[in-house]
Amino acid sequence: MGGEARSAAALGSERRVKSLGLVFVDERKGFYSSGETVAGHVLLEAAEPLALRALRLEARGRATASWGPSAVARASASALASAAASEVEYLNVRLSLREPQAGEGIILLQPGKHEFPFSFQLPSEPLVTSFTGKYGNIRYSVKAVLERPKVPDQSVKRELQVVSHIDVNTPALLTPVRKSQEKMVGCWFFTSGPVSLSAKIERKGYCNGEAIPIYAEIENCSSRLIVPKAAIFQTQTYLGSGKTKTVRHMVANVRGNHIASGSADIWNGKTLKIPPVPPSILDCCIIRVDYSLAVYIHIPGAKKLMLELPLVIGTVPYNGFGSRNSSVASHFSVDMSWLTLTLPEQPEAPPNYADVVSEEEFSRHIPPYPEPLNCEGEACCPMFCIQEFRFQPPPLYSEVDPHPSDVEENQPVSFIL
């Protein structure tokens, strides 16, 4: 009965607080940065006289990365050894908004509405950008805690979005990036010829909403029909307990025209628009977010030829003149819609085979011989491997990746900033 009486008393005391809220001075402000001031009010409405011990404000920010067995499975030593977790603190602020004066044990608030203003400054050193990923997150929050005698503490919490600005106008991010590669198509000495690819972008740094002009030269000296493509990939890397976990997503892609045998093609600024994605995170010791622009060629019956050009997604847009993107950059504002973005776990299905090889061309190359063994390996084809099978369609698409991109390493790894 004693416990029930205490519960009833606590419930009655809870009802004395009609509402507890937390508002920022500028509710339209989407994000904060290092050195800025966060200000607002804690709103409290009491239905009857209310006794308080204290009213405090807590602002916290931390990065956490973890993966492995569930909390139940971690009871065993072997499961605990395979788990990984790490944490880094970036913000820890505590303010007293109301506390008893000397000699007083409690504060008595009269019924009605009360406002308690607060203000604090974020650290001047760079804060890491807010981020939510598959195996970790970087989060900031502001919480008001109401302490009262004989009842549990009552609190209200708001998320605080933080952005560490990256200026794409720095010399390192204005440098053009270029790569070239050539691949010999065929098996053993039954080669059909090389496929060569050269790709370039004007600079390394771009912002959300910008279109990346891609310059590429593709030469097809093989006997197969090839298709050039380009895509933006996001790579999330997590570090915990000396292990790593990597997740890779395609966030945007574009496709070129197919190139027949003995032909070439040039991309003279083919554009690929950057969708709303989080900016690059390069300054956190346990979570890293990188981007790359991949220009690649699908070759039937052989491994794709791929070039990956490093990208940095920034927040301060390009302000140069004389560029095809300068008119866009002059009107560009930072797009923060990525704050609530969740990337898809699976990429979209590839195009239909009929889009790559026409029915007429396919019918002209149907071989009158039995189908040979798979020729994808470097030395997997027997002596009778022939080129007439180059137009056979690829395997059916499956949503189940036989080679998942998540990578877990047991060796200690550290980020190079």
Side-chain angles (χ1 to χ4, degrees):
M1 290 296 293
E4 293 179 0
R6 284 193 296 271
S7 298
L11 180 60
S13 182
E14 288 282 348
R15 289 172 178 169
R16 296 178 185 177
V17 179
K18 291 183 65 176
S19 64
L20 180 65
L22 191 154
V23 297
F24 297 118
V25 169
D26 187 0
E27 287 288 347
R28 295 173 299 177
K29 187 176 178 67
F31 60 91
Y32 292 84
S33 298
S34 302
E36 291 189 336
T37 298
V38 181
H41 296 83
V42 176
L43 307 177
L44 187 153
E45 184 176 1
E48 53 185 270
L50 189 66
L52 299 182
R53 281 181 176 169
L55 176 62
R56 70 179 188 271
L57 189 84
E58 300 176 355
R60 303 194 68 182
R62 64 180 60 186
T64 58
S66 63
W67 64 89
S70 64
V72 176
R74 288 178 188 174
S76 67
S78 59
L80 186 61
S82 64
S86 55
E87 181 177 302
V88 178
E89 186 174 76
Y90 292 107
L91 177 66
N92 191 349
V93 174
R94 292 172 64 95
L95 300 175
S96 177
L97 304 184
R98 193 69 185 268
E99 59 184 6
Q101 297 181 358
E104 297 181 355
I106 61 172
I107 307 164
L108 186 62
L109 291 182
Q110 297 302 316
K113 297 181 179 180
H114 302 268
E115 281 192 15
F116 303 91
F118 67 84
S119 176
F120 64 91
Q121 189 175 24
L122 295 175
S124 57
E125 59 267 17
L127 293 174
V128 180
T129 298
S130 299
F131 176 75
T132 300
K134 186 173 182 179
Y135 295 107
N137 56 70
I138 304 168
R139 288 178 178 168
Y140 301 82
S141 64
V142 179
K143 181 170 72 171
V145 181
L146 187 66
E147 297 182 14
R148 291 182 291 159
K150 299 181 180 179
V151 296
D153 293 347
Q154 195 171 346
S155 63
V156 59
K157 186 176 181 180
R158 293 281 304 272
E159 291 289 326
L160 192 70
Q161 300 295 342
V162 171
V163 170
S164 177
H165 286 296
I166 300 176
D167 189 351
V168 303
N169 298 283
T170 58
L173 301 185
L174 292 177
T175 305
V177 183
R178 174 191 290 273
K179 285 187 178 181
S180 299
Q181 192 173 347
E182 183 177 279
K183 179 181 180 67
M184 186 64 67
V185 179
C187 41
W188 285 5
F189 53 85
F190 294 101
T191 57
S192 64
V195 174
S196 60
L197 171 63
S198 176
K200 172 191 171 183
I201 52 177
E202 295 175 322
R203 49 191 164 95
K204 187 178 179 181
Y206 290 86
C207 291
N208 283 343
E210 282 193 276
I212 305 177
I214 305 171
Y215 300 87
E217 297 178 1
I218 308 104
E219 187 174 4
N220 182 15
C221 295
S222 73
S223 57
R224 306 180 187 183
L225 192 69
I226 63 175
V227 181
K229 300 180 181 181
I232 297 174
F233 286 96
Q234 180 198 79
T235 303
Q236 304 170 14
T237 306
Y238 304 88
L239 268 68
S241 304
K243 304 174 185 178
T244 64
K245 182 74 80 171
T246 302
V247 180
R248 182 176 166 96
H249 293 289
M250 178 189 292
V251 300
N253 65 327
V254 68
R255 180 184 172 194
N257 299 322
H258 65 267
I259 304 174
S261 173
S263 301
D265 192 16
I266 294 178
W267 287 3
N268 190 19
K270 189 177 186 66
T271 57
L272 177 56
K273 187 175 181 180
I274 303 173
V277 293
S280 299
I281 298 178
L282 310 175
D283 50 358
C284 178
C285 58
I286 63 173
I287 297 177
R288 187 180 179 99
V289 178
D290 295 285
Y291 292 90
S292 63
L293 173 68
V295 182
Y296 56 101
I297 298 175
H298 273 295
I299 307 171
K303 293 182 179 179
K304 68 178 69 172
L305 172 61
M306 176 180 287
L307 300 177
E308 287 209 52
L309 310 178
L311 277 180
V312 172
I313 304 299
T315 61
V316 181
Y318 180 57
N319 60 13
F321 298 97
S323 167
R324 66 180 67 210
N325 288 328
S326 60
S327 60
V328 176
S330 61
H331 301 288
F332 181 77
S333 60
V334 179
D335 183 356
M336 301 303 295
S337 58
W338 56 266
L339 291 171
T340 56
L341 178 69
T342 301
L343 292 172
E345 292 296 327
Q346 297 289 344
E348 63 181 27
N352 192 296
Y353 182 72
D355 295 336
V356 180
V357 178
S358 65
E359 183 176 351
E360 178 183 357
E361 187 169 14
F362 176 75
S363 62
R364 292 203 311 264
H365 293 86
I366 296 179
Y369 315 106
E371 185 174 353
L373 297 175
N374 187 359
C375 298
E376 292 191 7
E378 294 295 332
C380 64
C381 253
M383 297 284 288
F384 53 82
C385 176
I386 55 178
Q387 299 176 13
E388 283 78 2
F389 289 95
R390 61 185 177 274
F391 290 102
Q392 291 298 308
L396 294 178
Y397 175 75
S398 172
E399 291 290 343
V400 179
D401 187 358
H403 306 288
S405 58
D406 292 3
V407 178
E408 182 172 334
E409 298 178 2
N410 295 322
Q411 298 298 325
V413 179
S414 59
F415 289 139
I416 300 176
L417 303 180

